Amino acid sequence: MPSLPASARPDAIDETLSQTRYYRRRLPELHRLERLIRKGGQHIETTVLAEIRDGDLALPLYALRLGSRRSDAPVLLLTGGIHGVERIGSQLLLSQLATLISRLQWDEGLQQDLERIRLVFCPLINPVGMAHGWRSNGNGVDLMRNAPLDAETPGPWPLAGHRIGRWLPWYRGRRDTPMQPEAQALCELVRSEIDGAPFSLALDCHSGFGMRDRLWFPYAGSNRLLEHAAEVHALARLFERAQPHHPYVFEPQCHQYRTHGDLWDYLYRQQLAHREQVFLPLTLEMGSWLWVRKNLRQLTSFTGLFNPLVPHRHKRILRRHSLLLDFLIRATRSWQYWLPQDDERVFHQRQAQRRWSRTGNG
Ligand SMILES: [Zn+2]
């Protein structure tokens, strides 16, 4: 394994007193992530993708790799915290990471899985936003509206993304300027990790929309069905048969709302140039309105609109999604056994059109 740059080694984690205090007070998720990096030791390769400034401090944007280093290994990417206020997404990934680290000590099955596949965690993409409880990053930009890509059929303004100014939510940033450092770092990470992978899956964790837990896939900016509708349909069918009582709605994001500048639309479209590779980006949108309904006090807190505040509910949410994450690891490892080919692909394409198409022409 090539040696890591100094900034990427766990022992190089900056522990100045002010930084430690800051994390404890504002960013316990980053504090926990650094403890997990230390605990994971040799099982984890850590990189600082960027340092994001917040006043005098530079907050690290970490990526962690577990498993095969081969460039042609299938890859599962797990990302969260793009919207700083949606802390539960980061917390879910940290809890999964902790479980994996402890299982790696004794679980031969998991060790064998990781010899075949690579897991890439980027659980806290927007540390400054999270430290302040903002949806946007420190520059007021909504990172999920920041890709240089206009929607074909935009949804209602300003939710779809706008360029008016940072004082209004869903700001895309100025036209013809580079992407924000967090968005750029994520795009570079995804591109480099899936570059040689014949098959890759991504799960990006969000919260705050509706009563149901949803699994979205591209497109966010178009009513067209994505090019890999057959593959997504086969994956959804596989999950539905393995877990018939699962809580999720599988659907293209555009069924709920359409946006400009979606990072996953952007990355997915770029990857289409590599015809022999399959990249399926999913977004987990945890339905937080249910938590609000069960505890109306949450309405008085901005954070409470996006995160469970009652401890038992918080634990239940973390538990609720572990079946999904376990399934995604298995589906990534065994992709060749279920990815549809030839006639089967035609069948799944038809089924996907019937289930999800809104334009009638796929
Ligand atoms: Zn979000």
Side-chain angles (χ1 to χ4, degrees):
M1 191 176 95
S3 67
L4 300 170
S7 65
R9 286 200 304 270
D11 58 6
I13 289 171
D14 189 347
E15 282 215 350
T16 58
L17 191 59
S18 60
Q19 191 128 355
T20 307
R21 274 200 199 125
Y22 180 95
Y23 287 5
R24 288 236 167 91
R25 197 161 43 94
R26 287 183 169 271
L27 216 43
E29 291 82 3
L30 193 52
H31 191 57
R32 181 159 189 224
L33 176 58
E34 294 192 339
R35 274 186 302 168
L36 288 172
I37 290 171
R38 284 194 204 91
K39 193 171 171 202
Q42 54 165 32
H43 295 299
I44 298 182
E45 183 190 305
T46 308
T47 312
V48 177
L49 302 178
E51 294 196 310
I52 313 297
R53 297 224 60 95
D54 189 23
D56 294 339
L57 291 177
L59 305 184
L61 201 177
Y62 286 112
L64 283 60
R65 293 174 193 80
L66 288 85
S68 174
R69 307 290 199 264
R70 289 177 59 126
S71 62
D72 61 352
V75 174
L76 172 60
L77 292 144
L78 297 161
T79 59
I82 284 191
H83 291 136
V85 71
E86 300 166 16
R87 310 188 92 103
I88 186 70
S90 295
Q91 292 163 3
L92 172 64
L93 294 182
L94 292 172
S95 129
Q96 290 301 316
L97 183 61
T99 304
L100 287 172
I101 289 171
S102 73
R103 273 176 58 196
L104 268 172
Q105 313 298 325
W106 58 268
D107 186 340
E108 199 183 4
L110 178 63
Q111 290 163 1
Q112 285 169 356
D113 285 348
L114 290 185
E115 279 169 21
R116 298 269 300 274
I117 68 169
R118 178 163 57 259
L119 299 182
V120 183
F121 279 82
C122 194
L124 216 179
I125 295 171
N126 177 10
V128 175
M130 194 168 287
H132 293 273
W134 299 332
R135 176 183 171 89
S136 70
N137 74 349
N139 297 326
V141 174
D142 186 330
L143 297 172
M144 212 23 99
R145 306 282 187 279
N146 188 228
L149 183 73
D150 286 342
E152 284 172 18
T153 40
W157 186 92
L159 173 72
H162 64 87
R163 298 197 190 275
I164 305 293
R166 52 179 293 168
W167 49 273
L168 192 60
W170 308 295
Y171 178 49
R172 301 177 64 186
R174 292 172 62 182
R175 190 181 296 280
D176 300 325
T177 52
M179 273 194 282
Q180 295 294 301
E182 300 90 338
Q184 251 180 57
L186 175 67
C187 289
E188 278 163 26
L189 173 75
V190 174
R191 277 190 216 111
S192 66
E193 290 299 330
I194 68 175
D195 186 36
F199 177 84
S200 46
L201 263 177
L203 184 74
D204 186 25
C205 301
H206 291 249
S207 62
F209 181 85
M211 303 287 275
R212 298 283 308 270
D213 292 331
R214 294 168 191 278
L215 283 168
W216 283 338
F217 49 86
Y219 287 104
S222 166
N223 280 325
R224 280 188 301 118
L225 208 50
L226 82 169
E227 285 73 357
H228 290 93
E231 285 76 6
V232 171
H233 186 268
L235 181 74
R237 173 73 69 87
L238 202 65
F239 186 61
E240 285 160 356
R241 294 209 163 149
Q243 302 292 339
H245 306 296
H246 73 81
Y248 306 101
V249 180
F250 277 91
E251 61 186 355
Q253 185 177 335
C254 61
H255 280 196
Q256 295 303 328
Y257 54 83
R258 292 178 309 280
T259 59
H260 296 293
D262 184 273
L263 290 173
W264 298 110
D265 275 17
Y266 176 64
L267 286 162
Y268 174 70
R269 283 193 183 187
Q270 286 192 331
Q271 195 60 17
L272 285 178
H274 305 267
R275 289 180 159 274
E276 69 290 358
Q277 298 172 324
V278 175
F279 170 50
L280 308 178
L282 304 176
T283 294
L284 166 61
E285 186 70 46
M286 289 176 261
S288 64
W289 297 358
L290 197 64
W291 318 328
V292 174
R293 196 187 64 177
K294 288 188 175 170
N295 179 18
L296 284 174
R297 266 183 307 139
Q298 296 206 184
L299 275 174
T300 60
S301 144
F302 183 57
T303 307
L305 295 178
F306 300 92
N307 304 283
L309 297 182
V310 184
H312 74 262
R313 190 157 299 126
H314 185 262
K315 277 189 192 155
R316 199 181 305 148
I317 303 296
L318 296 184
R319 271 202 312 272
R320 181 182 173 93
H321 301 288
S322 46
L323 274 177
L324 173 68
L325 289 152
D326 215 42
F327 168 79
L328 293 179
I329 291 177
R330 285 156 200 270
T332 304
R333 174 177 169 155
S334 304
W335 65 277
Q336 284 159 308
Y337 292 91
W338 62 265
L339 204 71
Q341 307 289 337
D342 308 324
D343 287 354
E344 218 184 324
R345 188 169 192 280
V346 174
F347 166 79
H348 281 289
Q349 183 69 28
R350 278 204 202 110
Q351 295 284 314
Q353 269 172 357
R354 204 167 294 161
R355 183 165 169 181
W356 291 314
S357 181
R358 285 196 166 171
T359 56
N361 58 12

